[in-house]
Structures are given as C-alpha cells and as structure tokens.
C-alpha cells in the first residue's frame, strides 16, 4: 500500500532526468513513472475529505461558541437546567476513546496478517460505536421527555417568563383539565392538583399582571410564577422578594375585607329585617277587604319602600359575594404556597408537566441538537462502513482499507473530544 | 509502514490509550474543581486538555507521526483555516454583550430588566387621561418611549443645538376648548373578555377635560405642492417605529400619528388576542394583522392619507382608534388639556386642517384674539415666520358640533 522509503527520492530523480532531455544513448525521451504522493489514492482521498470535514465542524463549533458566550451574561442554561447529565457525556467520551483504540488494534492485527484478531477488534469498535449511539438516543429521549425540542413550535421552553409564557400555562391547564374530564377513569387528585395550580398560581398571576401597569410588579409576579414551576435559581431572589411583599399586602387586604364584610352583612341584615316587616305588614293590609284611604296610602308607601329596599339589597349582596370570592382567592393562594413551598419545583410533582422558562433555552436546544445530531450522523455512517468491511477477509491486503475507515473514525472521536467539554462542562 | 518492515506498536498504542483515558477524567475533574470558580480558567484548562487529546489521537492513532512530509500540506492549512474560522467569530461575542443596541435588545433572548430602579409609571386611575407616553411603559424599550414622549405637550422649548440648522423655521401652537353644554361620555359594556378589559370603560369619541380642553383633535398641514424640508428635530423620531398598543382592550394611543417612512408596531399587552384591522382610504392593500397576546407585529403604511383612517379590532367591537399617515411629521393631536403644538415648521404661508372623529373637518371655530376663518375642509391659513411661534391662543369649538351623530 505504501512505498518503500527509497522510492521517495525517485520522483525528484526522474523529474531531473526528464528535464535533462533526450536520452543520450537512444535519443528517446526518458519518461518515468511519477507516483505523486507516497500514499495510496484511497488514503489521500480520506485525508482530503477529513480536511473539509474539519472546516464543517469548525463552522458549527464557532457558531456555537458565539451563541454560548455572546448570550447575555448569566442567561445560558446550566447542564442541570436542561437535564444534561455530565457523567453520561463522560461515559460516551470513554466509549469513543476505547473505540479509537480498538480500531487501531484492528489495523495492527491486519498488518500482522491476523485476520481473526482484526475482525474481533473491528467488531469491538462496532459495538462501542453502537453503544455511543444508544447512549445518545437515551439522552435525546430524556430531552424530548422534558419538552426540549430543537424547533420552537413543539418546544415547551420559553426564553423568559412573559405574557406568552403565561398564556401557554393558561392554555395548558385548560387543556389538561379537559383531557382528564374526557377520561372516564379520571383521578380526583389530579383534577384537584391541576385546578389548584390553575386558580391559585396561573390565574392569580394573570390577574396581577393584568391589573397593574407597573413593569416591575409584572416582572416579579411572573418571576414568582416561573420559580414556583421549575425552581430555576435564576428567579429565586426576585420571587422570594415578591412573595414577601404579596403576602403582607394580601394579609392587610384580607383583614380589611373581613371588617368591610361584617359591616356589609350588618347592613344587609337591617335591610332584610326591614323588608320582612314591610312584607308582613303588606300581607296584613292585603288581607283587609275594604280598605280605607289611610290603609291604601300605607300600602302604596310600603310598596315603594319594598321596591327601594329590593333595589338596595341587590348591589350589597353582589358586593358581599365579590368580597367572599376575593377572600376565598386570597385564602386559596396562601394555602397553595403552604402546600407547595418555594423551591420545590411543580414540574416534578405528579402528573404535572408545565412548560418552563429558560433564558436562551431555545438557542441552547437548537445548538445542542445541531452539533450532537451532526456528530451522531457521522458515527452512524462510520458504523455502516464497519458493517460493510466486517464480512471481508481482513488480512494484510485489507489493512489499508481498515486504516482509511480508522482515519474517519478517529476524526469522529476528535470532534467529540471538543464537543464534550463545550456542551457538557462549560 | 510497509508490510515487511511492520513493527508492532501495540504497546505504544496502549500507553496512548491510557493517557487519553487519564486526560478525559482530568477534564471531568476540572469541570468540578475550584478552577471553575473563575470560569475562564476552567474553560481554558479544559480546552488545553482537549487539544492535547486531539493531538495524541492525530499523531499516534492517525499515524501522522510515521507519515512523510505530505502530511504538513494537508493538515497545517486545515488547522490554520479552522482556527481562523473560530477566531474571526470571537469579536462578535464582545460586540454583542458590550454594547447592546436598542434593536438588538428587542430581539435578545432575555431582556435584563433592572428591577431595582423605581417604577416610572404614574399609575393614573383615570384611564382616559393617559397620554401617549404611558403606552410604552410596559415595554422595556426606551427608544420607543423616547420617540413617543417627544410629543408630550409642554411650553415650546427651543433646543439651542438647532440654531445652526439652515433655513427658516417657526412653530405653531394653540388650545382647543369646548363651548356650550358638554355631553356625557357613554359607558361601554364589553360583551366579552371582561377580565382583560379596563372597567368601567367610557367612549373616547369626545373627551373634554374639566378645564373644557378638547382631547384628540388632529391638526395637520395640508399637503403642499412640493415636499417640505424636514427639520433635524424629527430625525430621531422618524427613524423609530411608531407604537400602537392594545392595552386593556383599548388602542393606545387613541390617535396615532406616523409618517409614510415609519413602521407601525402593533403591539398587544393584553392577555387576550387582538387584531388590528386598518381601513385605509388610499392604500389599495388591506392591512389586517392578528396579534397574539404579548406579541407585536410590524405594519408598513406607505401611502399618504388625507385624513385619519380607522383601526379596529374584529373581536372587540368597541375597540376603535385612528391612524394619521402623512409624508411629513408636521402634525399634532390635542392633549387632554386641549393643547397642541407643531415644532420646527418651515417658514411660509401654509394651510392647516383641524379634524375630529365625530365632526370630520372642523368647520366653525372662534379663536380668542384673532378671528380665524375655517374653510369648507377645515382649512385655516397660517403664516409661519422664522423663529416665531404662531399662537392661535384658545380656539373655541361648540361642543354640539363635535357630538356623535
């Protein structure tokens, strides 16, 4: 496959001869074989291909670096945020390094004309490559399970807790409740849990955000919502601060409402009592068959009073109902935070898979899937190559072929050597 | 390398393999060590380890150590080019975070909102008196806010930096007040999405303040035969999009002024979806855009209009606003006190028009001090002199003329 070391000087020699003009003895042009590079055509092609592949992955990695380090400071997701398990990545690195070693051993065996050993080593490489893909598949699956997809429409991730995030949560709760209701064997706990989240977390926040024009309040209320759902430490301070303010405000409001409610109920009671008296008297008057003038006048007067009392009664009753609703909402909100203290992510609670907020999350997902996806594609192509050469007899004559596949395989390993720290450890 | 000179390098490869394993564990260790307290150090260490591993693989596993000189021809250019490819992208990182332009801020993945700063909104309870600048408070986009507040009514203040601008420029101001009995504004009861709406809600077609000032009368320059020069005062404003917000099921501002060169940014701060259906007189293209909750859509209105056009929301029948599109920015809307001003008009004799949504062109008006004659199309002649303010004083309009029919 390769040339003898002494051949390397010959091209220059032959060129020199050709330039020297016609051979003095025969008068013919002396042309000698020009071997070009002292390697086989196949190996040359693999090397040329690899040098373009270097460009391909450099561009991808460069783009990733710009996105990663160009993201506003502190906003890039940490591995925990996106459910990346570092040791799984490390295991995959080990797997690929082992496979690099086994393919080298396979070439060595082939060169020693030990076909059986070469096949064994090659098969080991194939198994290791397949393991890598399997682990990758497992990782992808866990990403999908958490709602992390490379494209926006399917992704359950939001870059920040904003109104769009809030609408997504509202829709989610609505859909989820509808789904459960359609299920015949519905679970009471699940319904209670989701409607609890809907009323006391999502709808509450949407009311707060809708009521105020103050950006600061809106941002904090949404931060609290996001923190309650996925406990991302990024929102912790803002959420804690806001909850503290909200609790003292709602406490004061509840106390005020309670006194107002007593007043209103007393007012309503006087109205109802008076109404009872009026109605009773009217019934008495109605019972009299022959009314004199005084009694008719009294009836008219009482009828007017009855109407006016009725008119006064309705708004007070409405107000009382509204106050009771508000008190119930405040109590519900308070109870919710007692049952689900801050810092315990709701996403992990049973049945609940709410969209979560991750600054730069979608950018992360796009670059992660793009980089690892292209790499996995290369691994897959390598595996197909190994499958093709496994049935051949792997003696000395095939050593060059195995080496060519080996070169490609090492390159795939090289890319992962850079991808692993960049994606998992940075 | 050739068959008969083959040397068994198994031992060497095993050593390299062991080193690679060691380096991988080292890299993993660095990530969890105190080096990462200063991330740059940790990252550098990890990259150095990665390069070392890569070199080991290339030199030994890929047999480059035993190849002849051809290896340099292929590998060195490829290495140089790929390193350059990554390095030339690095300045972009610095530019991105060091100076965040306003445009970029809008499209940034995450806006850093300064929660410590005091809340700028003045929480006015009278929903209808909110002026144009309040509409941009929800957006953490200072540029739009600045462009809008440039229109806020104050006494005419002349910026000294414009003294050097060539040409003759003057100003125009006045105040509309209503005479006669002022009609009561009707209450609007929303038939849907009540939670998202401001309540109680009142009609905005005729808003007269307690000092009888008439809000929302549009004052604009009749289209001159030749395009007018535009004063640099308007440069920054005209380079920004004009914000039309949907807030609490109302268009904010009620009347939007824009030039044909500007973008209209239709925004939705509500929790419910809205749409902006713009009915143009002159533009053959229809503009009806849906705006999901929290989103915004940019609309271009490139054709000049002779009077304000309507913008409505199909889903919420009471939502109606107006947009005035002109080539030049010489126009104004009267504020809640009835005041208006147009700064830096080119000096000369111009015709201006008064327009109100109920009355159309205002046909009769009495100006204190000067009698003004209003023509058929609300035309009023004004003469703008250099560095002078043409002041109408108070312009009295009978409230009866402005009532809805």
């Amino acid at each position: 496959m390769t040339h003898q070391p002494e051949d390397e000087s010959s091209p220059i020699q032959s060129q020199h001869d050709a330039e020297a003009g016609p051979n003095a003895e025969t008068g013919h042009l002396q042309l000698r074989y020009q071997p070009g590079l002292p390697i086989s055509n196949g190996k040359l092609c693999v090397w040329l291909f690899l040098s373009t592949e270097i460009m391909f992955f450099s561009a991808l990695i460069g783009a990733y670096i710009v996105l990663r380090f160009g993201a506003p400071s502190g906003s890039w997701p940490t591995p925990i945020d996106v459910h990346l398990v570092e040791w799984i990545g490390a295991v995959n690195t080990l797997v690929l390094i082992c496979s690099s070693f086994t393919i080298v051993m396979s070439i060595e065996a082939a060169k020693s004309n030990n076909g059986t050993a070469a096949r064994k080593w090659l098969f080991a490489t194939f198994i290791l490559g397949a393991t890598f893909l399997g682990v990758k598949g497992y990782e992808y699956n866990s990403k999908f399970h958490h709602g992390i997809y490379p494209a926006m429409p399917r992704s359950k991730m939001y870059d920040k807790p904003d109104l769009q995030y809030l609408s997504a949560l509202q829709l989610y709760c609505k859909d989820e409740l509808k789904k459960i209701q359609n299920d015949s064997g519905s679970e009471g706990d699940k319904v209670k849990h989701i409607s609890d989240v809907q009323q006391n977390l999502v709808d509450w926040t949407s009311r707060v955000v809708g009521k105020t024009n103050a950006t600061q309040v809106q941002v904090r209320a949404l931060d609290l919502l996001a923190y309650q759902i996925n406990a991302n430490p990024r929102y912790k301070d803002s959420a804690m601060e806001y909850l503290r303010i909200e609790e003292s405000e709602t406490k004061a409001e509840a106390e005020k409402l309670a006194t107002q409610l007593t007043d209103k109920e007393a007012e309503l009671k006087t109205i109802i009592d008076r109404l009872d008296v009026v109605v009773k008297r009217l019934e008495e008057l109605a019972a009299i068959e022959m009314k004199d003038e005084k009694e008719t006048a009294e009836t008219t007067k009482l009828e007017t009073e009855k109407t006016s009392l009725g008119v006064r009664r309705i708004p007070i009753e409405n107000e009382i109902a509204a106050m009771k609703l508000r008190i119930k909402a405040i109590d519900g909100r308070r109870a919710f935070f007692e049952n689900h203290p801050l810092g315990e992510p709701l996403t992990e609670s049973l049945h609940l898979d709410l969209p979560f907020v991750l600054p730069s999350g979608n950018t992360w997902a796009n670059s992660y899937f793009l980089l690892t996806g292209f790499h996995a594609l290369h691994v897959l192509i390598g595996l197909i190559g190994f499958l093709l050469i496994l049935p051949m007899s792997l003696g000395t004559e095939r050593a060059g072929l195995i080496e060519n596949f080996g070169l490609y395989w090492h390159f795939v390993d090289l890319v992962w050597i850079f991808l692993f720290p960049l994606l998992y450890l940075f | 390398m050739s068959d008969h000179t083959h040397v068994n390098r198994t031992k060497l490869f095993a050593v390299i393999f062991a080193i690679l394993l060691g380096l991988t564990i080292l890299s993993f260790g660095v990530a969890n060590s105190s080096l990462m307290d200063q991330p740059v150090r940790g990252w550098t260490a990890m990259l150095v380890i990665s390069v070392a591993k890569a070199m080991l693989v290339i030199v030994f596993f890929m047999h480059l150590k035993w190849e002849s000189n051809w290896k340099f021809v292929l590998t060195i250019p490829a290495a140089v080019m790929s390193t350059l490819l990554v390095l030339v992208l690095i300045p972009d990182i610095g530019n991105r975070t060091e100076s965040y332009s306003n445009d970029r801020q809008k499209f940034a993945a995450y806006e850093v909102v300064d929660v410590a700063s005091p809340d700028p909104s003045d929480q006015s309870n009278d929903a209808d008196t909110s002026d144009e600048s309040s509409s941009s408070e929800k957006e953490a986009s200072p540029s739009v806010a600045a462009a809008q507040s440039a229109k806020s009514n104050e006494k005419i203040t002349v910026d000294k930096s414009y003294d050097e601008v060539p040409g003759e420029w003057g100003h125009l101001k006045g105040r509309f007040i209503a005479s006669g009995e002022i009609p009561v504004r009707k209450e609007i009861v929303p038939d849907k999405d009540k939670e998202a709406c401001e309540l109680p809600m009142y009609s905005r077609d005729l808003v007269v303040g307690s000092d009888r000032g008439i809000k929302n009368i549009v004052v604009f320059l009749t289209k001159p035969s030749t395009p007018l020069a535009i004063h640099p005062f308007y440069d920054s404003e005209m380079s920004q999009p004009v914000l039309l917000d949907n807030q609490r099921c109302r268009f904010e501002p009620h009347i939007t002024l824009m030039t044909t060169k500007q973008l209209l940014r239709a925004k939705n701060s509500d929790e419910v979806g809205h749409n902006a259906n713009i009915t143009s007189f002159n533009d053959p293209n229809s503009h009806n855009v849906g705006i999901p909750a929290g989103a915004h859509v940019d609309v271009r209105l490139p054709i000049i209009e002779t009077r304000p056009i309507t913008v409505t929301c199909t889903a919420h029948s009471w939502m109606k606003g107006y947009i005035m599109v002109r080539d030049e920015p010489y126009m104004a809307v009267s504020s809640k006190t009835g005041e208006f001003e147009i700064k830096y008009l080119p000096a000369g004799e111009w015709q201006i028009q008064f327009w109100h949504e109920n009355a159309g062109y205002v046909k009769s008006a009495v100006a204190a001090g000067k009698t003004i004659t209003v023509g058929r199309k609300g035309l009023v002649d004004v003469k703008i002199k250099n560095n002078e303010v043409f002041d109408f004083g108070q312009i009295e309009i009978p409230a009866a003329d402005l009532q809805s029919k």
Side-chain angles (χ1 to χ4, degrees), chain B residues 27 36 78 87 102 129 150 191 209 213 240-241 299 341 348 352:
Chain B
S27 178
M36 283 304 276
L87 284 182
N102 287 327
T129 53
D191 49 5
Q240 301 286 345
V299 184
E341 63 171 33
I352 60 163

Side-chain angles (χ1 to χ4, degrees), chain B residues 3 10 13 27 66 134 198 212 244 280 309 365:
Chain B
D3 308 337
T10 313
F13 289 144
S27 178
W66 302 283
S134 73
E198 65 170 30
R212 304 188 81 83
L244 171 61
S280 169
I309 55 176

Side-chain angles (χ1 to χ4, degrees), chain B residues 256-292:
Chain B
T256 311
L257 304 179
M258 63 182 287
T259 60
T260 45
K261 292 168 197 72
Q262 282 172 290
L263 265 183
L264 179 70
R265 176 154 297 168
K267 183 171 174 282
N268 182 0
S269 299
D270 282 348
E271 296 150 41
V272 293
H274 286 298
N275 66 319
N277 185 7
I278 301 164
T279 317
S280 169
F281 296 123
N282 297 340
D283 193 344
N285 300 318
S286 67
H287 300 282
N288 187 1
V289 290
I291 324 162

Side-chain angles (χ1 to χ4, degrees), chain A residues 104-112, chain B residues 6-10 13 63:
Chain A
V104 163
M105 294 313 289
S106 173
I107 299 166
E108 288 298 306
K111 279 180 184 163
S112 321
Chain B
H6 178 70
V7 268
N8 199 315
R9 302 200 185 96
T10 313
F13 289 144
H63 302 150

Side-chain angles (χ1 to χ4, degrees), chain B residues 13 20 22 58 63 84-85 112 141-142 180 213 221 235 262 265 274 280-281 283 294 313 326 358 368 394 398-399:
Chain B
F13 289 144
L20 282 173
I58 293 173
H63 302 150
L84 271 180
L85 196 57
V112 185
S141 151
L221 208 61
D235 284 356
Q262 282 172 290
R265 176 154 297 168
H274 286 298
S280 169
F281 296 123
D283 193 344
C313 175
R326 301 293 277 182
N358 283 341
Q394 295 199 335

Side-chain angles (χ1 to χ4, degrees), chain B residues 245-264:
Chain B
D245 201 354
N246 286 274
Q247 277 183 14
R248 319 287 293 134
C249 297
R250 307 301 309 250
F251 285 113
E252 289 293 347
H254 183 58
I255 298 182
T256 311
L257 304 179
M258 63 182 287
T259 60
T260 45
K261 292 168 197 72
Q262 282 172 290
L263 265 183
L264 179 70

Side-chain angles (χ1 to χ4, degrees), chain A residues 315-342:
Chain A
I316 292 175
E317 277 176 348
N318 287 348
E319 261 180 80
I320 289 173
M323 280 177 184
K324 279 185 176 159
L325 259 182
R326 179 70 186 157
I327 290 171
K328 201 181 151 211
I330 291 174
D331 287 346
R333 172 86 165 169
R334 201 179 293 159
F336 183 81
F337 275 95
E338 271 164 22
N339 294 335
H340 309 278
L342 274 188

